[in-house]
Amino acid sequence: MSSKAHLNHVIASHFVEIRAEEAPETEILVFEHGEQGEDRLTYRTLYENSNKIARLLLDHGISKGDTFGVFMRNYPEFVYCLLAATTIGAIMVPIDPRSRGDRLKFLLNDSGAKALIASGECLEQADEVISDVAALKFVSVAYRRDRNVPASPRYHVLNDTLASESWSTVDQQIMDVRHPMQIMYTSGTTGDPKGVMVRNNRTGIFNILNKLCWKYRRDDVLYTGLSLSHGNAQAVTLFPALYLGIKAVFSPK
């Protein structure tokens, strides 16, 4: 399949796989880390690391239709997890990194999350509630060098998976753009947060909005400091960058 196929009908992970074959070294996403430098991601990097996480999830019993939480600031691992979910048909639950206590416990329990992938600086908050999440059976933690958080022996270390040079590749397992991609939660200002099911065809709507409203050009560089756990950063920055080949820059918070 060519990347020129109608964007509205290609699931994000499949599109990234196609681009990783056609233009593997195209730099597409940049994650800033202040004085600690930045991560520059190519289509090849996105495909390989998301595929490693797809294999990790499958190996721990997370497959089509299962939900898992992602609890971190704007880091590359967030995008890897999102693409891994759309590869295997799992449903990602992005969680605002400021969440803790009863709110965090509610989000994980209400979504039925079977796994949680968190970054090291969110581990303290996660530790407070993990034992109270009935469905949770696997926790993996991504440690950032600039955060100086020691690795916990209680949980899987995601860094080891991403550092691996060989893994059992996962073929794209879903092609139906109506299949659920994420459950995104409201802020909960009027009661418990409400989970909104987002299907894979939502990316097609974002592409239409770009043509009608945003009208990005190929030489534009997109930027956001908004959390990827919320819709704006995904709709206005992340998905247009991935699908249109426009570079995007993300601040961690």
Side-chain angles (χ1 to χ4, degrees):
M1 177 185 293
S2 169
S3 62
K4 295 181 180 179
H6 202 292
L7 297 184
N8 295 2
H9 301 291
V10 182
I11 289 173
S13 52
H14 193 202
F15 183 80
V16 167
E17 179 183 4
I18 294 167
R19 293 297 289 146
E21 294 177 355
E22 297 177 344
E25 304 310 321
T26 298
E27 188 178 281
I28 195 70
L29 305 181
V30 179
F31 285 82
E32 296 181 327
H33 303 295
E35 295 179 356
Q36 301 297 323
E38 57 197 15
D39 291 314
R40 294 179 172 269
L41 311 184
T42 64
Y43 280 115
R44 183 200 300 275
T45 305
L46 287 168
Y47 168 69
E48 291 184 350
N49 285 340
S50 64
N51 205 262
K52 291 174 183 179
I53 294 178
R55 172 54 59 195
L56 176 72
L57 291 170
L58 289 174
D59 287 348
H60 286 85
I62 311 302
S63 58
K64 183 178 179 180
D66 291 330
T67 55
F68 70 99
V70 173
F71 186 35
M72 63 182 66
R73 294 178 180 171
N74 287 353
Y75 293 143
E77 291 85 355
F78 184 101
V79 182
Y80 302 154
C81 289
L82 178 55
L83 295 173
T86 64
T87 298
I88 64 176
I91 304 166
M92 182 173 127
V93 182
I95 300 174
D96 188 314
R98 299 170 295 181
S99 302
R100 71 181 315 142
D102 288 342
R103 175 184 170 84
L104 178 57
K105 182 165 57 176
F106 173 83
L107 296 176
L108 292 169
N109 279 317
D110 186 69
S111 65
K114 293 185 176 181
L116 176 65
I117 298 179
S119 57
E121 77 275 12
C122 291
L123 187 54
E124 180 181 353
Q125 297 136 268
D127 262 336
E128 295 173 355
V129 305
I130 283 174
S131 61
D132 295 321
V133 181
L136 199 64
K137 58 184 180 181
F138 175 63
V139 178
S140 182
V141 183
Y143 296 95
R144 307 290 309 179
R145 291 190 303 273
D146 54 314
R147 305 305 300 180
N148 296 317
V149 176
S152 170
R154 297 190 303 277
Y155 308 118
H156 176 268
V157 177
L158 188 63
N159 305 58
D160 295 340
T161 294
L162 296 177
S164 176
E165 295 184 359
S166 62
W167 71 100
S168 181
T169 303
V170 181
D171 293 331
Q172 181 69 33
Q173 297 192 359
I174 59 166
M175 294 295 182
D176 185 356
V177 295
R178 297 168 298 178
H179 186 80
M181 172 174 62
Q182 298 178 80
I183 299 175
M184 304 189 80
Y185 278 85
T186 62
S187 60
T189 54
T190 58
D192 288 332
K194 309 300 189 296
V196 179
M197 185 71 75
V198 179
R199 301 183 186 278
N200 282 280
N201 58 8
R202 183 66 64 89
T203 58
I205 297 173
F206 300 156
N207 291 325
I208 292 171
L209 282 173
N210 176 61
K211 292 180 180 178
L212 296 178
C213 303
W214 305 321
K215 300 181 179 179
Y216 295 143
R217 300 176 305 184
R218 289 289 181 180
D219 58 349
D220 285 337
V221 177
L222 311 184
Y223 174 84
T224 189
L226 299 175
S227 174
L228 281 164
S229 64
H230 296 284
N232 185 291
Q234 293 190 25
V236 181
T237 309
L238 175 61
F239 284 114
L242 290 178
Y243 278 84
L244 300 176
I246 298 171
K247 185 179 293 185
V249 180
F250 299 88
S251 172
K253 62 177 181 177

